[in-house]
Amino acid sequence: MKSEMEQDILKVLVTEEELKARVTEMGAELFEKFKGRNPLFLSVLKGSFVFMADLVRACQVQSEVEFIAVSSYQNSTQSSGTVQITRDLQQDITGRELIIVEDILDSGNTLAFLKDYFMSKGAKSITIVTLLDKPSRRTKAITADYSGFTVPDEFVVGYGLDFAQKYRNVPYIGVLKPEVYSNN
Ligand code: 5GP
Ligand code: MG
């Protein structure tokens, strides 16, 4: 039987199996690059929490984890353009090699803002890892160093990504039925 959430999904874009295989590959690539460098995996909450948990276990390098929370969407599917930090770093990142872990790179507003912010806090290097990339919507000159999947210009949920804070625990990446948005 379908879960109550799965009944709201119109189609699956990336399956659980595809996610697992790609995250494993990305972890191995990051291992090769960062072994011996004690990087700081920095998850951009909330959307990247599932990807972060899988990625750090797929990359068995000596490393640390940190979290920052930002908000730019305010319960809609359109970015407001301004990025607010709602939970700041809890440690000094001076001289650290950062691996920013994002759920999706869309307009690029969030990562453009965060990159400047982390450089101003003294980061030694910044590597951007995003699970999903929607290049068709980019307005800022930001590219990911590592990207899991390129997705079309559709609003996606699951594997950490939400619509109005829901659907984060759907285990794959999918698109919602149009009536779900209009009923909200
Ligand atoms: P950007 O600042 O690049 O426009 O957007 C980045 C953030 O917007 C992402 O980290 C994510 O939280 C949110 N976002 C962008 N596109 C989508 C989408 O298709 N689905 C969901 N759930 N969030 C999105
Ligand atoms: Mg995000």
Side-chain angles (χ1 to χ4, degrees):
M1 217 195 88
K2 281 189 169 183
S3 74
E4 57 178 334
M5 285 177 304
E6 284 184 284
Q7 293 173 18
D8 292 344
I9 305 282
L10 177 69
K11 61 180 174 189
V12 179
L13 286 186
V14 188
T15 66
E16 279 189 76
E17 294 72 26
E18 289 168 332
L19 285 165
K20 180 148 190 11
R22 185 71 185 113
V23 173
T24 300
E25 258 174 31
M26 294 172 88
E29 288 173 30
L30 289 170
F31 178 85
E32 286 309 316
K33 179 164 173 187
F34 285 100
K35 59 187 173 199
R37 288 163 61 174
N38 189 31
L40 182 64
F41 283 89
L42 210 170
S43 159
V44 184
L45 295 172
K46 298 176 189 169
S48 72
F49 82 107
V50 177
F51 178 42
M52 175 76 162
D54 285 345
L55 186 66
V56 295
R57 285 177 296 172
C59 182
Q60 290 291 309
V61 70
Q62 179 148 241
S63 56
E64 296 166 29
V65 300
E66 177 60 292
F67 301 88
I68 191 167
V70 298
S71 129
S72 68
Y73 268 59
Q74 274 107 34
N75 286 356
S76 94
T77 61
Q78 289 295 309
S79 175
S80 64
T82 56
V83 181
Q84 275 181 323
I85 295 176
T86 56
R87 180 219 188 257
D88 209 341
L89 299 171
Q90 302 292 303
Q91 63 178 265
D92 184 7
I93 61 166
T94 308
R96 295 303 302 264
E97 301 220 66
L98 301 188
I99 302 175
I100 305 184
V101 180
E102 252 288 28
D103 51 358
I104 184 164
L105 178 51
D106 188 27
S107 69
N109 279 330
T110 307
L111 281 175
F113 171 86
L114 286 177
K115 227 179 148 176
D116 287 350
Y117 182 67
F118 297 144
M119 288 313 290
S120 78
K121 294 278 179 191
K124 176 180 175 191
S125 71
I126 294 179
T127 298
I128 295 178
V129 181
T130 189
L131 178 69
L132 305 175
D133 189 5
K134 249 191 219 176
S136 58
R137 302 236 312 165
R138 198 82 86 253
T139 58
K140 292 272 163 60
I142 287 280
T143 51
D145 298 290
Y146 298 85
S147 160
F149 301 89
T150 300
V151 291
D153 184 9
E154 290 185 277
F155 193 79
V156 299
V157 299
Y159 199 71
L161 290 100
D162 72 310
F163 171 61
Q165 300 303 326
K166 299 197 178 64
Y167 306 100
R168 294 192 194 275
N169 55 337
V170 169
Y172 47 80
I173 301 289
V175 177
L176 292 173
K177 294 176 180 167
E179 61 263 31
V180 180
Y181 303 115
S182 45
N183 290 344
N184 197 270

